[in-house]
Coordinates of all heavy atoms in Angstrom, one line a residue:
Q1 N 34.9 83.2 -52.8 CA 34.6 84.5 -53.5 C 34.4 84.3 -55.0 O 33.5 84.8 -55.6 CB 35.6 85.5 -53.2 CG 35.6 86.0 -51.7 CD 36.8 86.8 -51.4 OE1 37.4 87.5 -52.2 NE2 37.2 86.8 -50.1
M2 N 35.3 83.5 -55.5 CA 35.3 83.3 -57.0 C 34.0 82.4 -57.3 O 33.4 82.7 -58.4 CB 36.5 82.6 -57.5 CG 37.8 83.4 -57.4 SD 37.6 85.0 -58.3 CE 38.5 86.1 -57.2
K3 N 33.7 81.5 -56.5 CA 32.5 80.6 -56.8 C 31.2 81.4 -56.6 O 30.3 81.3 -57.4 CB 32.5 79.4 -55.8 CG 31.4 78.5 -56.0 CD 31.4 77.4 -55.0 CE 30.2 76.5 -55.1 NZ 30.2 75.4 -54.0
R4 N 31.2 82.3 -55.6 CA 30.0 83.1 -55.3 C 29.8 84.2 -56.3 O 28.7 84.4 -56.8 CB 30.1 83.6 -53.9 CG 28.8 84.4 -53.5 CD 28.9 84.9 -52.0 NE 30.1 85.7 -51.7 CZ 31.0 85.3 -50.9 NH1 30.9 84.1 -50.3 NH2 32.1 86.0 -50.7
Q5 N 30.8 85.0 -56.7 CA 30.6 86.2 -57.4 C 31.6 86.4 -58.6 O 31.6 87.3 -59.3 CB 30.6 87.4 -56.5 CG 32.0 87.7 -55.9 CD 31.9 87.8 -54.4 OE1 30.9 87.6 -53.7 NE2 33.0 88.2 -53.8
G6 N 32.6 85.5 -58.7 CA 33.6 85.6 -59.8 C 34.6 86.7 -59.6 O 35.3 87.0 -60.6
K7 N 34.7 87.3 -58.4 CA 35.7 88.3 -58.2 C 35.9 88.5 -56.7 O 35.2 87.9 -55.9 CB 35.3 89.7 -58.8 CG 34.0 90.2 -58.3 CD 33.6 91.6 -58.8 CE 32.9 91.5 -60.1 NZ 32.4 92.8 -60.5
F8 N 37.0 89.2 -56.3 CA 37.2 89.5 -54.9 C 36.2 90.3 -54.3 O 35.6 91.2 -55.0 CB 38.6 90.1 -54.7 CG 39.8 89.3 -55.1 CD1 40.6 89.7 -56.1 CD2 40.1 88.1 -54.5 CE1 41.6 88.9 -56.5 CE2 41.1 87.3 -54.8 CZ 41.9 87.7 -55.9
N9 N 35.9 90.2 -53.0 CA 34.9 91.0 -52.3 C 35.2 92.5 -52.5 O 34.3 93.3 -52.6 CB 34.9 90.7 -50.8 CG 34.3 89.3 -50.6 OD1 33.6 88.7 -51.4 ND2 34.7 88.7 -49.4
Q10 N 36.4 92.9 -52.4 CA 36.8 94.3 -52.5 C 36.4 94.9 -53.9 O 36.2 96.1 -54.0 CB 38.3 94.5 -52.3 CG 38.7 96.0 -52.1 CD 38.0 96.7 -51.0 OE1 37.7 96.2 -50.0 NE2 37.7 98.0 -51.2
E11 N 36.3 94.1 -54.9 CA 35.9 94.5 -56.2 C 34.4 94.6 -56.5 O 34.0 95.0 -57.6 CB 36.5 93.6 -57.3 CG 38.0 93.5 -57.2 CD 38.6 92.4 -58.1 OE1 37.9 91.5 -58.4 OE2 39.8 92.5 -58.4
L12 N 33.6 94.3 -55.5 CA 32.2 94.3 -55.7 C 31.6 95.7 -55.8 O 32.0 96.6 -55.0 CB 31.5 93.6 -54.5 CG 31.7 92.1 -54.3 CD1 31.1 91.7 -53.0 CD2 31.2 91.3 -55.5
S13 N 30.7 95.9 -56.8 CA 30.1 97.2 -56.9 C 29.0 97.4 -55.8 O 28.7 96.4 -55.1 CB 29.4 97.3 -58.3 OG 28.3 96.4 -58.3
A14 N 28.4 98.5 -55.7 CA 27.4 98.7 -54.7 C 26.2 97.7 -54.9 O 25.7 97.1 -53.9 CB 26.9 100.1 -54.7
T15 N 25.8 97.5 -56.1 CA 24.7 96.6 -56.4 C 25.1 95.1 -56.0 O 24.4 94.4 -55.4 CB 24.3 96.6 -57.9 OG1 24.0 98.0 -58.2 CG2 23.2 95.7 -58.2
E16 N 26.4 94.8 -56.3 CA 26.9 93.4 -56.0 C 27.0 93.2 -54.5 O 26.8 92.1 -54.0 CB 28.2 93.2 -56.7 CG 28.1 93.1 -58.2 CD 29.4 93.1 -59.0 OE1 30.3 93.8 -58.5 OE2 29.5 92.5 -60.0
V17 N 27.3 94.3 -53.8 CA 27.4 94.2 -52.3 C 26.0 93.8 -51.8 O 25.9 92.9 -50.9 CB 27.9 95.5 -51.7 CG1 27.7 95.5 -50.2 CG2 29.3 95.8 -52.0
I18 N 25.0 94.4 -52.3 CA 23.6 94.1 -51.8 C 23.3 92.7 -52.2 O 22.7 92.0 -51.4 CB 22.6 95.1 -52.5 CG1 22.8 96.5 -52.0 CG2 21.2 94.6 -52.2 CD1 22.1 97.6 -52.7
Q19 N 23.7 92.2 -53.3 CA 23.4 90.8 -53.8 C 24.1 89.8 -53.0 O 23.6 88.7 -52.7 CB 23.7 90.7 -55.3 CG 22.8 91.5 -56.2 CD 23.3 91.5 -57.6 OE1 24.4 91.1 -57.9 NE2 22.4 92.0 -58.5
N20 N 25.4 90.0 -52.7 CA 26.3 89.0 -52.2 C 26.7 89.1 -50.7 O 27.3 88.2 -50.2 CB 27.6 89.0 -53.0 CG 27.4 88.6 -54.4 OD1 27.0 87.5 -54.7 ND2 27.7 89.6 -55.3
C21 N 26.2 90.2 -50.1 CA 26.6 90.4 -48.7 C 25.3 90.6 -47.8 O 25.1 91.7 -47.3 CB 27.5 91.6 -48.6 SG 29.0 91.5 -49.6
K22 N 24.6 89.6 -47.7 CA 23.3 89.7 -46.9 C 23.7 89.7 -45.4 O 24.6 89.0 -45.0 CB 22.5 88.4 -47.1 CG 22.1 88.2 -48.6 CD 21.1 89.2 -49.1 CE 20.7 88.8 -50.5 NZ 20.3 89.9 -51.3
L23 N 23.0 90.6 -44.7 CA 23.3 90.8 -43.3 C 22.1 90.3 -42.4 O 21.0 90.4 -42.8 CB 23.5 92.3 -43.0 CG 24.5 93.1 -43.8 CD1 24.5 94.6 -43.3 CD2 25.9 92.5 -43.6
T24 N 22.5 89.7 -41.3 CA 21.4 89.4 -40.3 C 20.9 90.7 -39.7 O 21.6 91.7 -39.8 CB 22.0 88.5 -39.2 OG1 23.0 89.2 -38.4 CG2 22.6 87.1 -39.7
N25 N 19.8 90.6 -39.0 CA 19.3 91.8 -38.4 C 20.2 92.4 -37.4 O 20.4 93.6 -37.3 CB 17.9 91.6 -37.8 CG 16.8 91.3 -38.8 OD1 16.9 91.8 -39.9 ND2 15.8 90.6 -38.4
N26 N 20.8 91.5 -36.6 CA 21.8 92.0 -35.6 C 23.0 92.6 -36.2 O 23.5 93.7 -35.7 CB 22.3 90.8 -34.7 CG 21.2 90.4 -33.7 OD1 20.2 91.2 -33.5 ND2 21.3 89.2 -33.2
A27 N 23.5 92.1 -37.3 CA 24.7 92.7 -38.0 C 24.3 94.0 -38.6 O 25.1 95.0 -38.5 CB 25.1 91.7 -39.1
R28 N 23.1 94.1 -39.2 CA 22.6 95.4 -39.7 C 22.5 96.5 -38.6 O 22.9 97.6 -38.8 CB 21.3 95.2 -40.4 CG 20.7 96.5 -41.0 CD 21.3 96.7 -42.4 NE 22.1 97.9 -42.3 CZ 22.8 98.4 -43.3 NH1 22.9 97.8 -44.4 NH2 23.6 99.5 -43.1
N29 N 22.0 96.1 -37.5 CA 21.8 97.0 -36.4 C 23.2 97.5 -35.9 O 23.4 98.6 -35.5 CB 21.0 96.4 -35.2 CG 19.6 96.2 -35.6 OD1 19.0 96.8 -36.5 ND2 18.9 95.3 -34.9
T30 N 24.1 96.5 -35.8 CA 25.5 96.9 -35.3 C 26.1 97.9 -36.3 O 26.8 98.8 -35.9 CB 26.4 95.6 -35.2 OG1 25.8 94.7 -34.3 CG2 27.8 95.9 -34.8
L31 N 26.0 97.6 -37.6 CA 26.6 98.5 -38.6 C 25.9 99.9 -38.5 O 26.5 100.9 -38.6 CB 26.4 97.9 -40.0 CG 27.0 98.8 -41.1 CD1 28.4 99.1 -41.0 CD2 26.7 98.1 -42.5
D32 N 24.5 99.9 -38.4 CA 23.8 101.2 -38.3 C 24.3 102.0 -37.1 O 24.5 103.2 -37.3 CB 22.3 100.9 -38.3 CG 21.7 100.4 -39.6 OD1 22.4 100.5 -40.6 OD2 20.6 99.9 -39.5
L33 N 24.5 101.4 -36.0 CA 25.0 102.1 -34.8 C 26.4 102.7 -35.1 O 26.7 103.8 -34.7 CB 25.0 101.2 -33.6 CG 23.7 100.8 -33.0 CD1 23.8 99.7 -31.9 CD2 23.0 102.0 -32.5
A34 N 27.3 101.9 -35.8 CA 28.6 102.4 -36.1 C 28.6 103.6 -37.0 O 29.3 104.5 -36.9 CB 29.5 101.3 -36.7
V35 N 27.7 103.5 -38.0 CA 27.5 104.6 -39.0 C 27.1 105.9 -38.3 O 27.7 106.9 -38.5 CB 26.5 104.2 -40.1 CG1 26.1 105.4 -40.9 CG2 27.0 103.1 -41.0
I36 N 26.2 105.8 -37.3 CA 25.7 106.9 -36.6 C 26.8 107.4 -35.6 O 27.1 108.6 -35.6 CB 24.4 106.6 -35.8 CG1 23.3 106.4 -36.8 CG2 24.1 107.7 -34.8 CD1 22.0 105.7 -36.2
R37 N 27.4 106.5 -34.9 CA 28.4 106.8 -33.9 C 29.6 107.5 -34.4 O 30.1 108.5 -33.9 CB 28.8 105.6 -33.1 CG 29.8 105.9 -32.0 CD 30.1 104.6 -31.2 NE 31.0 104.9 -30.1 CZ 31.5 104.0 -29.3 NH1 31.2 102.7 -29.5 NH2 32.3 104.3 -28.4
Y38 N 30.1 107.0 -35.6 CA 31.3 107.5 -36.1 C 31.1 108.4 -37.4 O 32.1 108.8 -38.0 CB 32.3 106.3 -36.5 CG 32.5 105.4 -35.4 CD1 32.2 104.1 -35.4 CD2 33.1 105.9 -34.2 CE1 32.4 103.2 -34.4 CE2 33.3 105.0 -33.1 CZ 33.0 103.7 -33.2 OH 33.2 102.9 -32.1

């Protein structure tokens, strides 16, 4: 985490989440389903 972004993952801003947390298509689909379901 420190090497990648210089801070803990929990401290990432929304913009930094987009930059440092790339999702595969399957991961994105799984998350989208959870967002809708819950």
Side-chain angles (χ1 to χ4, degrees):
Q1 292 170 26
M2 293 303 142
K3 180 179 176 185
R4 181 177 54 246
Q5 66 233 6
K7 59 174 87 173
F8 296 116
N9 293 335
Q10 189 59 35
E11 298 171 339
L12 295 174
S13 68
T15 303
E16 291 169 327
V17 167
I18 293 167
Q19 293 170 347
N20 295 296
C21 303
K22 305 289 185 209
L23 307 178
T24 64
N25 289 336
N26 287 340
R28 180 81 249 176
N29 292 339
T30 299
L31 179 58
D32 289 344
L33 287 172
V35 167
I36 292 167
R37 182 176 182 187
Y38 304 121

